Amino acid sequence: MIRTRFAPSPTGYMHIGNLRTALYTYLIAKKQNGKFILRIEDTDTERYVHGAIDIILDVLKDTGLNYDEGPNIGGDFGPYVQSERKHIYEKYAEKLVEQGNAYYCFCKDDRLSKLREEALKNNTVFKYDKHCLNLTKEKIKKKIENGEPYVIRQNNPIEGTTTFNDILYGEITVPNFELEDMILLKTDKMPTYNFANVIDDHLMNITHIVRGKEYLSSAPKYQRLYEAFSWEVPTYIHCPHIMKNETEKLSKRNGDASYNDLIEKGYLSEAIINYIALLGWSPDSNEEFFTLEELIKNFNYENISKSSSIFDIKKLKWMNSEYIKKMDKEKFHNMAYKYYENIPKQIDKHLLSEMLQNRIEIFTQIPDIIDFLIELPDYDLSIFEHKKMKTTIESSKKVLTEILPIFENTNDYSIENLNSLLNSYISENSYKNGFVLWPIRCALSGKISSPGGSSELAYLFQKDETLRRIKIAINKLN
């Protein structure tokens, strides 16, 4: 059975690259009716952020990436939080020591700092010098009995090569002298990420691993661990970077948008998932819009590109607008309603939602679009001049002056009646529609762009406010 895992560190909000990893991992499992597992890798206590685990759980639930095993639902391979698995790792580290594939290291920080300074001075990459590799068993025993702190390091050879395979990059071979003797077990007996993920992936029967391209350099060290234990190596899929532009990676450390940021800015979860699926993966068709179920059906990890993708917020915004247009009207209204808090009570908010649904790209645009409903802007008279509508300040004043008594003499402010009154006026005077409707719209909204036409706006405001705004416009146009 295909078993994949999403194994985030609880270090803050879910950034876009992390969410794409979760999505691809989920799709690989579900495409083959496999299992999608959530594992929390919290061994880096210094970077741990309180509440981050809840954020991870909420995002996966919100996006529909439902896992089959995980920290809050259990499973046959738990615990699913690494800090709760601390007792597991030490015996595997000790086994590697017994085999000669790892060793105790008692080097103190000052010695390691000097090695790093020398490497920097010589313009070389820092690499531990195996200083503690040949300590005798007696010396090791004595140091441990004396309470000297130690770590356990991987013992990588300095000769020969190590080869591993990746779905996207094929067979990769690296010289062993390039491999760092990475720390497997820290002084507090907590495992490093690099060690724990190998142990856990094996014990949880993980068959496919999706992670960022940046982990390619660590893969040879993981390979040597698998070989040391004589374990089967999972299928690797190292995804290309998501870039903010041609030269900079998208990164939460640089303050780039997280999933939660995008939701707060008014993007829909479905649009975000659809868009990030296409950041590095191409379907066999030219289709751009996919539900999660359609992604499961169409996804093929062999179609993931080796090239980096640029996160184009304009493309996401366009895609989001298409999702908004297709939304159920009541759902749209319920989501938009929180932006109507300061709107006058007489405003028909359901109609307002109908006017907005095909107009916005993201929900947070709503306040700027409807602010005129709360207070008439202090507008410039130039808005009444429109070449296409053939309106001028003088013609606008004339139209508004003639429309005012028509609006005063009716109490029926239904859209149907207002349309009838306006159409009669236009017909009787042989005017073009825009010649009349444009100045009314400007008078009521104080903007060159607003949702709805003249009749809809007059209906929203009803009689008193409609007349008040037309009179203000007439006075301004004098």
Side-chain angles (χ1 to χ4, degrees), residues 228-253:
F229 288 119
S230 298
W231 291 343
E232 184 177 352
V233 182
T235 298
Y236 291 142
I237 303 149
H238 288 86
C239 295
H241 296 138
I242 299 178
M243 310 291 286
K244 65 189 300 182
N245 52 45
E246 295 291 343
T247 58
E248 296 178 278
K249 283 198 308 178
L250 204 66
S251 169
K252 66 179 179 180
R253 293 188 181 184

Side-chain angles (χ1 to χ4, degrees), residues 328-354:
D328 174 79
K329 292 185 182 300
E330 194 62 28
K331 181 179 179 181
F332 175 86
H333 176 68
N334 291 336
M335 291 186 68
Y337 196 84
K338 70 177 183 178
Y339 299 100
Y340 300 163
E341 184 179 359
N342 297 317
I343 298 298
K345 290 182 179 181
Q346 78 268 21
I347 298 293
D348 183 338
K349 296 178 178 60
H350 273 91
L351 175 60
L352 180 58
S353 291
E354 289 182 24

Side-chain angles (χ1 to χ4, degrees), residues 207-219:
T207 61
H208 292 66
I209 294 174
V210 181
R211 56 187 171 217
K213 181 182 176 182
E214 62 270 22
Y215 288 102
L216 272 175
S217 60
S218 298

Side-chain angles (χ1 to χ4, degrees), residues 3 12 18 20 36 38 52 73 75 125 145 149 195 284 337 368 382 384 420 478:
R3 289 177 58 85
N18 223 13
R20 184 186 67 173
F36 173 57
L38 172 65
I73 62 174
V125 177
E145 289 175 349
F195 184 50
D284 292 327
Y337 196 84
D368 286 339
S382 63
F384 289 94
S420 177
N478 280 329

Side-chain angles (χ1 to χ4, degrees), residues 347-397:
I347 298 293
D348 183 338
K349 296 178 178 60
H350 273 91
L351 175 60
L352 180 58
S353 291
E354 289 182 24
M355 294 161 63
L356 289 170
Q357 186 163 358
N358 290 327
R359 189 180 181 86
I360 65 169
E361 294 175 306
I362 54 176
F363 279 87
T364 47
Q365 291 173 336
I366 291 176
D368 286 339
I369 294 175
I370 66 173
D371 58 355
F372 73 94
L373 295 173
I374 303 169
E375 184 177 358
L376 182 66
D378 185 16
Y379 53 84
D380 191 301
L381 293 182
S382 63
I383 66 173
F384 289 94
E385 298 178 309
H386 197 295
K387 287 184 179 181
K388 185 178 178 181
M389 307 297 180
K390 297 182 179 180
T391 62
T392 64
I393 290 177
E394 290 75 19
S395 70
S396 295
K397 178 186 174 184

